[in-house]
Amino acid sequence: VRGLHAMSRRAPLPLVVIDCPTLRRETAASELFGHIRGAFTGATHDHIGLLERAGEGTLQVDGIADLDASIQAMLLRAFQVRSFLPVGAVSEHQFRARIIVTSDRPLGDLVADGRLREDLAQRLQGVPLHVPSLRERGDDALLFARETLKRQGSQLNRRLGFTAAAEKYVREHSWPGNIRELKAAVERAAVMANGSE
C-alpha cells in the first residue's frame, strides 16, 4: 500500500492506516470518526478521527472483517456518502480520501463466513489486486530478505551477508507468516550473527 500511495498523485498527502483488529468496540467510533468535547464522559477535548486525518490522501483499512457489525455499518455510510459525523457533533465532515482495503482473504469469503457485511464488501469492490504470498513468488523472498538484511545491518552499523545455506533456507521455506515472518527472521539473524554472515 505504501508503494501505491508513494507512486500516486496523493503521495504528498497523508497515508493513514486503520488497524481494525486493534480497535476496541467501545472506542472505535471515536477513533474512526473523531469526537467533540463533551460528547461522552472523559471527552475533555475535540479529537480528530482517522478518516479526517486522511484528508484527501489514502486511507488503508486493514482487517476490516475484525470490526463489529455496527461499526462496519457506520463505515459503509461514510464510504457511500463520502461524509461522516464525529461522535457528539451535529454537522457532517467531508471524506475525500482514497480507500484501500487489505485482507488475507477475498472479501467474498469473509461475507460467506458472516464476518463482513455484504453491502460493505460490494461497496469496497473497486479494483482488486492479488498480491501472491512469498511461497508463490519464487526468488522474491530472497530479494526481500537481502533488502531487510541491508537495512538491519545499517541500523547495527555492520556489513552483513547471507551464507549459501541461509539463502537456500530463504528460498525453500514456505513462509506461512509471509513478509512479517521473513522480516522478523532476518532481523533476528542479523542481531544474533557473530561475524559478517
Side-chain angles (χ1 to χ4, degrees), residues 25 78 162 170 182:
R25 182 176 167 218
F162 288 113
V170 168
L182 173 66

Side-chain angles (χ1 to χ4, degrees), residues 16 18 20 59-64 67 75 79 99-102:
V16 174
I18 299 174
C20 297
L59 182 71
Q60 176 185 340
V61 184
D62 189 21
I64 197 164
L67 285 178
L75 277 179
F79 294 165
I99 305 162
I100 298 179
V101 177
T102 59

Side-chain angles (χ1 to χ4, degrees), residues 7-27:
M7 292 187 298
S8 74
R9 64 179 176 79
R10 297 178 194 251
L13 302 170
L15 167 62
V16 174
V17 178
I18 299 174
D19 186 16
C20 297
T22 66
L23 290 176
R24 292 192 346 246
R25 182 176 167 218
E26 303 79 28
T27 59

Side-chain angles (χ1 to χ4, degrees), residues 133-152:
S133 64
L134 280 179
R135 66 183 156 273
E136 300 173 76
R137 296 176 64 168
D139 281 344
D140 282 359
L142 189 54
L143 295 173
F144 288 127
R146 286 178 178 155
E147 183 59 30
T148 302
L149 186 64
K150 181 179 173 185
R151 285 189 192 138
Q152 189 67 19

Side-chain angles (χ1 to χ4, degrees), residues 3-197:
L4 288 173
H5 179 74
M7 292 187 298
S8 74
R9 64 179 176 79
R10 297 178 194 251
L13 302 170
L15 167 62
V16 174
V17 178
I18 299 174
D19 186 16
C20 297
T22 66
L23 290 176
R24 292 192 346 246
R25 182 176 167 218
E26 303 79 28
T27 59
S30 175
E31 287 299 312
L32 295 171
F33 309 113
H35 64 256
I36 63 167
R37 185 174 148 228
F40 50 84
T41 304
T44 57
H45 60 280
D46 289 355
H47 171 72
I48 297 173
L50 295 171
L51 270 70
E52 191 166 350
R53 283 187 215 156
E56 294 184 18
T58 301
L59 182 71
Q60 176 185 340
V61 184
D62 189 21
I64 197 164
D66 291 312
L67 285 178
D68 183 75
S70 64
I71 301 298
Q72 288 184 27
M74 290 180 194
L75 277 179
L76 171 63
R77 182 193 177 280
F79 294 165
Q80 277 184 194
V81 300
R82 304 300 283 178
S83 66
F84 60 93
L85 192 63
V87 177
V90 293
S91 59
E92 297 264 323
H93 290 223
Q94 294 300 304
F95 174 66
R96 295 189 175 97
R98 169 183 46 198
I99 305 162
I100 298 179
V101 177
T102 59
S103 176
D104 58 354
R105 296 178 56 207
L107 297 184
D109 291 355
L110 297 172
V111 170
D113 290 348
R115 295 183 57 211
L116 182 65
R117 291 175 57 110
E118 185 173 9
D119 49 0
L120 180 56
Q122 290 168 350
R123 181 70 191 157
L124 295 172
Q125 292 287 356
V127 179
L129 296 174
H130 171 71
V131 179
S133 64
L134 280 179
R135 66 183 156 273
E136 300 173 76
R137 296 176 64 168
D139 281 344
D140 282 359
L142 189 54
L143 295 173
F144 288 127
R146 286 178 178 155
E147 183 59 30
T148 302
L149 186 64
K150 181 179 173 185
R151 285 189 192 138
Q152 189 67 19
S154 177
Q155 289 178 358
L156 296 170
N157 233 3
R158 296 170 62 195
R159 191 176 181 95
L160 297 168
F162 288 113
T163 64
E167 287 192 354
K168 182 176 189 290
Y169 178 83
V170 168
R171 280 193 194 100
E172 293 176 357
H173 185 64
S174 66
W175 302 109
N178 230 334
I179 194 77
R180 289 184 183 111
E181 179 187 1
L182 173 66
K183 186 176 179 197
V186 171
E187 289 172 352
R188 187 171 47 253
V191 169
M192 303 293 285
N194 290 323
S196 61
E197 288 190 305

